[in-house]
Amino acid sequence: MQRIQDMLGYERLTQLLPTTKLDGRVITAILCGFGAGILLRKWLFRRQLQKKIAKAQEQRERLLEQMKAAVHRFKQKHPDIRAESILSLSLLELSEKLQEGTFSPENVLYTYMEQALKVNEELNCLTDFIPDCEEQLRELQKRKEKGLLYGIPVSLKEHYDYKNHVSSCGLVSFLGIPAKDDSVIVKVLKSQGAIPFVKTNVPQTMLSYDSSNVIFGKTLHPQNPKKSPGGSSSGEGALIAGGGSILGLGSDVGGSIRIPSSFCGICGLKPTASRLSFLGTPVPLPGMDTVTASLGPMARDVDSLALCMRALLCEELFHLDPSLPPLSFNDEVYASSKPLRIGYYESDGFSQPTPSMKRAIQQTKQLLEKTGHELIPFSVPRTEHMVYELFLGGIFADGIETLHDLLKNEMIDPCMRYLFRLSYFPAFVKRLLSFLLKPMFPRLAKFLDKTCGIG
């Protein structure tokens, strides 16, 4: 035994260790101090976030007051302007009157600014006013050539970069970083004579079908404030449906244009990926290449979407972003009255449609058949594989690690709380839960399995 103690350096070790027992009160004090330090650190961090949020809210209020003042000055100079004569027109009708000079861009811009402010008071859909729109208006009136969107006020989803304005994506960590330049789409809009004038609200991270974030709060539905307008192009859907914008630009990965358009009763288009440039349009989760997002227009009717796409798909766009296929809008196909063979389905075999959805499909089918088109029913193949393996598998390929790293330094909005909590679970725990839940809740089990990531 003595030899073993000598080999282990027993005597030297005992000299290093304390010879007296620690008092329980000392241990308690150390642990309490350690805990208090952690709580203090959390409190200081939360206070820092709250200061950034308060600053962003003050900035928004200041800009909206500036917007109100601009409208007031205009109305004092032009008291006879009839807003209804402008707001009641479709985009095509308004564009025609602007092109022929019946209406001035000035009258149209300030009319929509006033209406946007009214809608925002009820729905909380604006995050930013773009004062540069007044300077752009003056420059526009000096132009010799009118673009396809000459004099049209345009609203932008919050994450479209506009020089010297913040694109937060509903995240506190993105605040205080103004864009150094306009996004490519904003540049093209300006070149076509459009006037971007406001930016609109999004849910935190934009990975939600809800409409709230901790910075600007919740956007409400234009017909029922107890309901959501959908997301993530929440503010666009609410503002356009409320009459505060005649044309807006949104973005869509898994329904972010289509869902708020449907919920709010307007029209939206998700073009093929890479049809419109994403340059200058930040996203919170970069590198998501297997599930790609698209930018697209939102408006009151289909003809408005077509006009917007016709204007955007121009040489200026293809010059600014050479990675895009240089394909202009095909007017021949759009204007053709040739009967089409159109496939349709009432259920994708994965989620059951509500009775109203089925009724909408049937009514659309009947209307199309009356105009001479042939409607062919079909079954969507392998929907479950697409949802779990391709869509969720692509979004959560990293096991939600990027999202976790993004949100761990944020105040979490209720719309993201469930996903953030899930990101804390180790992969083996999620796989165990998936195995246990599979007999009773197979879809939830598959969802948990996909959040483990690849490998």
Side-chain angles (χ1 to χ4, degrees), residues 398-418:
D398 65 344
I400 329 184
E401 286 188 15
T402 305
L403 183 66
H404 175 78
D405 291 342
L406 185 69
L407 290 176
K408 68 182 180 182
N409 295 322
E410 294 277 337
M411 293 170 63
I412 308 302
D413 188 84
C415 75
M416 289 302 297
R417 197 167 289 157
Y418 72 98

Side-chain angles (χ1 to χ4, degrees), residues 126-413:
L126 300 183
T127 61
D128 200 357
F129 166 58
I130 302 172
D132 185 55
C133 67
E134 295 186 276
E135 177 60 33
Q136 192 192 341
L137 178 65
R138 288 187 283 271
E139 291 177 4
L140 188 64
Q141 291 170 334
K142 298 175 185 177
R143 281 192 192 180
K144 293 181 180 179
E145 294 184 6
K146 298 177 180 180
L148 289 177
L149 296 175
Y150 174 75
I152 300 295
V154 176
S155 52
L156 303 170
K157 186 174 181 177
E158 199 267 355
H159 73 129
Y160 279 76
D161 272 355
Y162 197 102
K163 188 175 181 180
N164 297 325
H165 289 256
V166 172
S167 301
S168 74
C169 302
L171 295 160
V172 180
S173 56
F174 284 21
L175 292 174
I177 310 172
K180 295 179 180 179
D181 198 4
D182 294 341
S183 69
V184 164
I185 293 298
V186 168
K187 289 179 180 178
V188 176
L189 285 169
K190 287 180 176 181
S191 73
Q192 289 285 15
I195 307 175
F197 72 113
V198 290
K199 296 177 79 173
T200 57
N201 205 21
V202 295
Q204 188 175 46
T205 74
M206 302 190 301
L207 289 175
S208 171
Y209 296 143
D210 210 335
S211 60
S212 61
N213 61 70
V214 297
I215 306 167
F216 302 115
K218 189 177 185 66
T219 297
L220 306 178
H221 192 281
Q223 277 82 45
N224 186 346
K226 295 181 180 179
K227 302 290 185 181
S228 169
S232 64
S233 304
S234 317
E236 283 303 314
L239 182 65
I240 294 168
S245 175
I246 197 167
L247 177 65
L249 271 295
S251 59
D252 191 314
V253 175
S256 292
I257 287 175
R258 293 161 289 168
I259 288 173
S261 295
S262 174
F263 282 15
C264 295
I266 62 172
C267 296
L269 175 67
K270 179 193 178 185
T272 301
S274 298
R275 194 70 171 105
L276 298 177
S277 176
F278 240 96
L279 295 179
T281 312
V283 291
L285 300 180
M288 202 165 64
D289 294 332
T290 54
V291 182
T292 52
S294 298
L295 304 182
M298 300 170 70
R300 299 175 199 166
D301 53 61
V302 173
D303 284 335
S304 299
L305 304 180
L307 176 61
C308 184
M309 291 300 292
R310 190 180 292 114
L312 292 175
L313 296 172
C314 63
E315 290 302 319
E316 177 77 3
L317 175 69
F318 307 136
H319 172 73
L320 291 170
D321 189 350
S323 69
L324 301 178
L327 299 172
S328 299
F329 186 86
N330 195 326
D331 272 299
E332 184 180 347
V333 172
Y334 182 71
S336 173
S337 58
K338 181 182 176 181
L340 302 173
R341 296 175 73 242
I342 303 170
Y344 77 96
Y345 59 89
E346 291 183 1
S347 173
D348 59 11
F350 181 79
S351 54
Q352 291 301 313
T354 63
S356 61
M357 290 178 181
K358 281 189 176 183
R359 186 168 61 253
I361 293 291
Q362 284 299 323
Q363 289 175 352
T364 304
K365 171 181 176 290
Q366 292 166 10
L367 289 170
L368 288 169
E369 286 176 333
K370 283 181 181 179
T371 56
H373 301 293
E374 183 182 2
L375 276 291
I376 301 171
F378 75 98
S379 299
V380 183
R382 305 182 70 193
T383 312
E384 195 163 301
H385 172 80
M386 182 277 294
V387 171
Y388 290 114
E389 301 302 326
L390 303 182
F391 184 68
L392 292 178
I395 289 178
F396 299 136
D398 65 344
I400 329 184
E401 286 188 15
T402 305
L403 183 66
H404 175 78
D405 291 342
L406 185 69
L407 290 176
K408 68 182 180 182
N409 295 322
E410 294 277 337
M411 293 170 63
I412 308 302
D413 188 84

Side-chain angles (χ1 to χ4, degrees), residues 71-86 103 107 111 114:
V71 170
H72 180 68
R73 287 194 301 270
F74 173 77
K75 291 185 73 175
Q76 282 187 321
K77 292 179 182 178
H78 305 86
D80 298 327
I81 296 295
R82 292 177 60 249
E84 189 57 33
S85 65
I86 294 172
F103 285 167
N107 291 355
T111 297
E114 182 181 27

